[in-house]
Amino acid sequence: MAIRMTGLTSGLDTESIVAALMEAQKSKKTKVENKKTKLEWTQTIWSGLNKKLYSFYTDYAGKMRFQSSYLTKKAASSDSSVLTATAKSTAANGSYSIKVSQLAAAQYVTSAKLGTYKTKDEGGNDVDTAVTSKTKLADLGFDTSGSSVIEIKSGDKRINLYVDQDTTVADFVQKLKDAGLNASFDEKQSRFFISAKDSGADSKFTISHTALSADQTAAKDALLQTMDYSTLSSSDQGTIKQVLSDLQNAQTTEAKTAAYKSLQDIADAAAKTKVTDYYTKQLTEKYTNEYITTETVTDDEGNETTVEKLTDAGRQALKDANLDNDTYVDDDRLAVVKNKLIAQNVKKDLATDGYKKSIEDAVTYGSVDAGVAEKATRDADIIVAVDNYADQISSGTGVAASSGLTKLGLDNIDGLAVKENASGTGMAVIAAADSVVQVNGATLTSSNTTLDVNGLTLDLVSASDKEVKVTVSNDSSAVYDSIKDFVEQYNSILSEMNKYYYASSARGYDPLTDDQKKEMSDDEVEKWETKIKDSLLRRDNTLEGIMQTMRTTMTGTTVTASNGKTYSLANLGITTGKDYKEYGLLHIKGDEDDEDYADSTNTLENLINEDPDVVQEVMSKIVTDLYSNLNKKMAATTMSSALTFYNDKEMTKQVTQYEKDIKEWKTKLADMEDRYYKQFTAMEKALASLQSQQSSLASYLGS
């Protein structure tokens, strides 16, 4: 900022003069700021109105346009300790005789408490160890010498767990979950807790222990041999176990195709590893022979010793790889070459395109030296092994096995109820069951404790020999309350719109500046701003259009009912008020809460009791029209978004323009103020120069 000379020579109050000059200009920026503030307040008001209008549209008009809203029924149970009842609009009026013979139940299994098992401590002594999720089934005495399979059936799912030396308690629990059951092992209680996710007889599950037959076991072993199972990583072995399990669960074309792909991928990876190992060995021997030589050394006593030394090529390779060091002794250099340099060079060579191609070719076309068959042969062998195993599994269910489940505190579970200790294992089973209900003599069932019948919903509480009466009748009060609630919500939103549209003018009121607010109390500021806000939608065209739509639809629509007569809301006893300043609010004549019409005959209530079909037809048609008309008001345009009653896009665009204008005014005013100060500074400099010349001239004349 330039240096400002403020009246040093002229004696003028430059800052006051500039401030006065700027005041008139700043008022132009203030006008734009006021417009922006008013528009933002308008946006806030419309946003609130829009939310209320949309809520009325969806929650009230959206509901009351359906005839089902006027068909409300009520149901009464003679004994709520046995059952309770609710009635849909389709329920037939009358009395129902009901008896609850049995309640639905989900199948639950609780295992016996598992004891400890023996493990060895560091000294090789037996110690008792508690069972955990990581405990292997073999450690609990589960026989894994044969091909043990735990089969779990639940609904249309059949899951098999192949049990080997590595199968754990957690593996068993996971398979139960895979079958769609709730399952856990509680380590504190040392018990399995297993249950169906749903109640009802169709949710029954079974758990059994079988062993593969000799042919099935042979097919499995052949598949493992084809995969060279013992040489694979634990991860690949786990994948193969999963494939075996999947094939036990399903022998479909899709299951076998998935098995081919999974096993062929493992075989390809294993082949690549073998070929890579082969070339790694070759290259290691090559660099070892190139970099290291052996010499026979004779000591002073004539004893000969063979020692390894670096060749000249080895020393040069050290230097080329920046691994040499003058402080090294020869033995150190030899160690670096053997332990690092050779491995680095081998890795580097294997990463070249040539070796990559050789490895890929060997994996695809086979390599006798690396002991790898060609891919086509490997793939064919796997397909044969998988098909053979799947065929053997599908040909039979294996052979019975002495139940290893007893080692898990379980026994073969067939879904029947078993009390604790009755099975000899201490296992307890609650059987799956359906609810059984007699309704007017007819026996009905349900998989849960809720039964829907002829528009009635029965919530069953307890089984009893007692006969319960359920009575269904029209619930006229519920229909009346629904219509009353709709009218109240209509009046609420219309009343708020009336308040804004017919508000008093706020001419002469503008948003307060910060300086103006400082001179007023908080209460005065609030009243001032409220006066402006209340008037922002005064005579607003958009608001008028919504109000007119609602009033015209509700009071001007007539409906010809199925009886041939024409009705409007007024014929139902719903009318506008006596005071025109209510601007279209509705009243229900005879309603006890309506101060103006409480003493009138309640036509609506009488019609609901005497001719409910008329009320249903007239109300649903009028509200449907209202719903449709409001929907049209919310259609998206270039100025408004979808589901919005006001021009939100246009307002947002205008606010952005005001912000741009304000920013430009700030720059313009700053430049203008600087120009004024520069002009006064120039004047001060000119006066100072003139004063200096006068002083100089006076000094000459005086001398």
Side-chain angles (χ1 to χ4, degrees), residues 176-440:
L176 292 168
K177 292 180 178 179
D178 291 344
L181 304 177
N182 296 316
S184 64
F185 179 73
D186 189 321
E187 295 184 358
K188 290 184 178 180
Q189 293 295 328
S190 197
R191 293 176 185 260
F192 290 98
F193 292 89
I194 310 165
S195 67
K197 290 186 176 179
D198 299 310
S199 60
D202 289 342
S203 297
K204 181 179 75 172
F205 61 87
T206 64
I207 303 174
S208 60
H209 175 211
T210 61
L212 298 181
S213 66
D215 289 340
Q216 291 171 336
T217 300
K220 182 203 71 175
D221 291 342
L223 190 153
L224 296 180
Q225 186 175 357
T226 299
M227 294 302 301
D228 205 3
Y229 181 83
S230 62
T231 66
L232 299 176
S233 66
S234 59
S235 175
D236 286 341
Q237 288 180 348
T239 301
I240 293 176
K241 289 179 184 178
Q242 185 61 50
V243 168
L244 291 172
S245 177
D246 291 342
L247 288 172
Q248 287 168 347
N249 297 333
Q251 297 84 45
T252 62
T253 300
E254 292 78 7
K256 288 191 286 187
T257 300
Y260 302 153
K261 177 66 169 60
S262 182
L263 297 184
Q264 286 166 356
D265 287 345
I266 291 175
D268 289 347
K272 184 175 182 180
T273 298
K274 283 185 178 181
V275 175
T276 303
D277 289 345
Y278 169 73
Y279 282 120
T280 298
K281 182 178 179 181
Q282 273 198 332
L283 288 168
T284 300
E285 290 178 355
K286 169 195 168 186
Y287 283 114
T288 300
N289 293 333
E290 185 178 343
Y291 294 159
I292 301 173
T293 186
T294 58
E295 292 184 4
T296 300
V297 179
T298 304
D299 60 17
D300 295 340
E301 297 178 357
N303 298 317
E304 293 183 349
T305 304
T306 300
V307 296
E308 291 181 330
K309 290 188 176 182
L310 288 179
T311 64
D312 291 340
R315 291 180 180 276
Q316 186 61 45
L318 269 176
K319 293 179 180 179
D320 293 342
N322 294 319
L323 296 176
D324 200 6
N325 190 312
D326 292 338
T327 62
Y328 284 175
V329 296
D330 285 342
D331 287 344
D332 291 334
R333 290 187 174 90
L334 181 65
V336 170
V337 171
K338 291 177 67 175
N339 299 330
K340 190 170 185 180
L341 180 59
I342 291 176
Q344 282 185 354
N345 288 346
V346 170
K347 183 177 180 181
K348 182 178 179 181
D349 287 351
L350 290 176
T352 61
D353 291 339
Y355 271 101
K356 284 182 178 179
K357 180 70 165 53
S358 296
I359 292 172
E360 290 175 0
D361 288 346
V363 171
T364 302
Y365 304 112
S367 170
V368 175
D369 293 334
V372 173
E374 65 177 338
K375 177 173 174 56
T377 301
R378 295 196 308 270
D379 289 351
D381 290 344
I382 288 172
I383 291 173
V384 170
V386 168
D387 288 347
N388 184 37
Y389 179 73
D391 290 344
Q392 289 297 334
I393 291 297
S394 63
S395 65
T397 57
V399 297
S402 56
S403 182
L405 292 173
T406 58
K407 303 299 182 181
L408 307 181
L410 300 168
D411 202 345
N412 287 342
I413 298 166
D414 58 9
L416 300 178
V418 177
K419 292 184 178 180
E420 191 169 10
N421 295 323
S423 66
T425 62
M427 173 185 71
V429 179
I430 295 176
D434 287 335
S435 293
V436 179
V437 183
Q438 285 82 41
V439 180
N440 290 341

Side-chain angles (χ1 to χ4, degrees), residues 5-11 680-696:
M5 300 177 66
T6 56
L8 293 176
T9 304
S10 67
F680 278 106
T681 298
M683 181 191 73
E684 294 291 339
K685 289 181 178 179
L687 289 175
S689 176
L690 178 60
Q691 188 179 61
S692 176
Q693 291 174 4
Q694 289 176 338
S695 298
S696 178

Side-chain angles (χ1 to χ4, degrees), residues 92-107:
N93 289 354
S95 180
Y96 297 79
S97 176
I98 301 173
K99 179 181 176 182
V100 182
S101 301
Q102 178 178 288
L103 290 182
Q107 182 178 347

Side-chain angles (χ1 to χ4, degrees), residues 453-466:
V453 52
N454 195 30
L456 272 178
T457 298
L458 305 177
D459 292 310
L460 312 179
V461 180
S462 64
S464 172
D465 293 332
K466 183 178 180 181

Side-chain angles (χ1 to χ4, degrees), residues 151-163:
E151 182 183 78
I152 308 158
K153 291 182 179 179
S154 176
D156 58 355
K157 285 190 176 181
R158 174 187 171 199
I159 300 293
N160 285 291
L161 172 62
Y162 168 66
V163 183

Side-chain angles (χ1 to χ4, degrees), residues 64 69-73 475-484 604 608 615:
M64 298 300 289
S69 298
Y70 308 93
L71 299 175
T72 307
K73 299 290 184 74
D475 191 1
S476 59
S477 62
V479 176
Y480 182 86
D481 289 342
S482 295
I483 296 174
K484 180 179 177 179
L604 177 62
I608 291 173
V615 176

